[in-house]
Structures are given as structure tokens and as C-alpha cells.
Amino acid sequence: MPLNDLSLSLQFGKFPDAALHRAALPRHSVTRWIRHALQSDAEITVRIVDAEEGQALNHDYRGKDYATNVLTFDYTQAPYVTADLVLCAPVVAREAREQGKTLQAHYAHLLVHGTLHAQGHDHETSEADAEAMEALEIEILAGLGIDNPYQ
């Protein structure tokens, strides 16, 4: 099955270990991970931020006063997906360590997760929706050669 077209903007905020995160996120890998999760053509901006920016965005847009791993801002879903995915570098790094995953594998999972959100998938609406989204993530990541992130 052919992959969908993706126009990608990859941005990194200024923070102390940004080089480590840049190394884990080569543009060709980010493009590949997102394209495998797309069901239509898309224009997506991925921004890697520090804890301060991540917390401010989560507070302003979700009313939650902490930095979370990934925020998805979806603007259109059909016929063309447009979205911003904001990933908080310190949170992603901490979670990867705690879960015994490589930084790159955890980023791949979160980018797939955010891309599915951008297309209308939601794990917070019901247990059935959460299970369906998780199964889809596992399937997409397996197709990319990445282990089940939930094990």
C-alpha cells in the first residue's frame, strides 16, 4: 500500500540537551514514522520543546499545569490532515529511561500516537476507543520494526 504525502516542518526549541534530541530525530525517520500512521495526505509541524514551553502549552490549551509528553493540535482531518505535534524533550527522555526504551523508539511511539490523534483517534473517550487506538499504534510500530510500547 502506498504511503501518503507529508509536508513536514521539524522544529527544535532551545534547551540544554537539544543536540541529543536532534540526534534521535533525523528528519527521514520522523517522516517515515508519521507517514506510516497517516490515512491521508498531511501537513504536520513537529516541535520539540523544553519543560517550560510544554507546561505552558498544556496549561493554556488543556487546563493541566504540567508538561506532558505529546500535545496534538489538529486543525483539519479531511480531506487533508493539518496538525502541530509538540513533544516535551525532558518528559520524553525521562519516560524512555523509566520504561527502558531508547529515546528514538519512544519518540517514534509518541509521533505515531500524536499523528493518530490528529486524525480523530482518541483514547480518552472510552475504554474501547483506548484499546482500539493502542492496537493500531502497536500494529503501525510493528510495521516499522519497533517493539510493542505497552509491554
Side-chain angles (χ1 to χ4, degrees), residues 11 38 67 118 124 146:
Q11 305 172 359
L38 285 173
E124 296 180 349
I146 297 170

Side-chain angles (χ1 to χ4, degrees), residues 122-132:
D122 193 344
H123 55 85
E124 296 180 349
T125 48
S126 72
E127 186 63 33
D129 288 345
E131 290 173 7

Side-chain angles (χ1 to χ4, degrees), residues 12 26-27 40 42-43 52 55-56 61-62 69 91-92 98 100-101 112 119 132 138 141 146:
F12 292 85
R27 185 180 185 78
S40 64
E43 181 177 337
E52 184 179 343
Q55 182 174 350
Y61 291 96
R62 296 180 66 227
N69 51 17
V91 174
V92 175
E98 291 172 355
K101 300 174 185 174
V112 165
Q119 296 171 100
I138 292 166
L141 291 166
I146 297 170

Side-chain angles (χ1 to χ4, degrees), residues 67-106:
T68 190
N69 51 17
V70 60
L71 291 167
T72 301
F73 299 92
D74 59 328
Y75 307 112
T76 63
Q77 294 176 353
Y80 190 79
V81 174
T82 54
D84 293 335
L85 305 180
V86 179
L87 293 95
C88 183
V91 174
V92 175
R94 178 181 45 79
E95 289 177 348
R97 279 191 309 276
E98 291 172 355
Q99 297 170 21
K101 300 174 185 174
T102 67
L103 184 59
Q104 190 170 52
H106 196 41

Side-chain angles (χ1 to χ4, degrees), residues 4-148:
N4 291 291
D5 286 334
L6 170 64
S7 173
L8 174 68
S9 175
L10 182 56
Q11 305 172 359
F12 292 85
K14 291 185 183 352
F15 50 92
D17 58 351
L20 171 73
H21 295 269
R22 278 185 190 276
L25 292 164
R27 185 180 185 78
H28 69 276
S29 295
V30 173
T31 299
R32 182 172 175 257
W33 301 331
I34 292 173
R35 285 182 74 205
H36 275 79
L38 285 173
Q39 296 160 345
S40 64
D41 293 344
E43 181 177 337
I44 295 178
T45 296
V46 173
R47 181 162 172 79
I48 311 303
V49 301
D50 63 9
E52 184 179 343
E53 186 174 346
Q55 182 174 350
L57 288 167
N58 201 25
H59 179 266
D60 291 350
Y61 291 96
R62 296 180 66 227
K64 299 181 187 257
D65 196 25
Y66 58 87
T68 190
N69 51 17
V70 60
L71 291 167
T72 301
F73 299 92
D74 59 328
Y75 307 112
T76 63
Q77 294 176 353
Y80 190 79
V81 174
T82 54
D84 293 335
L85 305 180
V86 179
L87 293 95
C88 183
V91 174
V92 175
R94 178 181 45 79
E95 289 177 348
R97 279 191 309 276
E98 291 172 355
Q99 297 170 21
K101 300 174 185 174
T102 67
L103 184 59
Q104 190 170 52
H106 196 41
Y107 267 122
H109 174 216
L110 294 173
L111 286 166
V112 165
H113 181 88
T115 300
L116 292 177
H117 271 304
Q119 296 171 100
H121 296 272
D122 193 344
H123 55 85
E124 296 180 349
T125 48
S126 72
E127 186 63 33
D129 288 345
E131 290 173 7
M133 187 169 172
E134 186 175 304
L136 189 52
E137 289 172 20
I138 292 166
E139 178 184 334
I140 291 165
L141 291 166
L144 291 165
I146 297 170
D147 293 337
N148 179 342

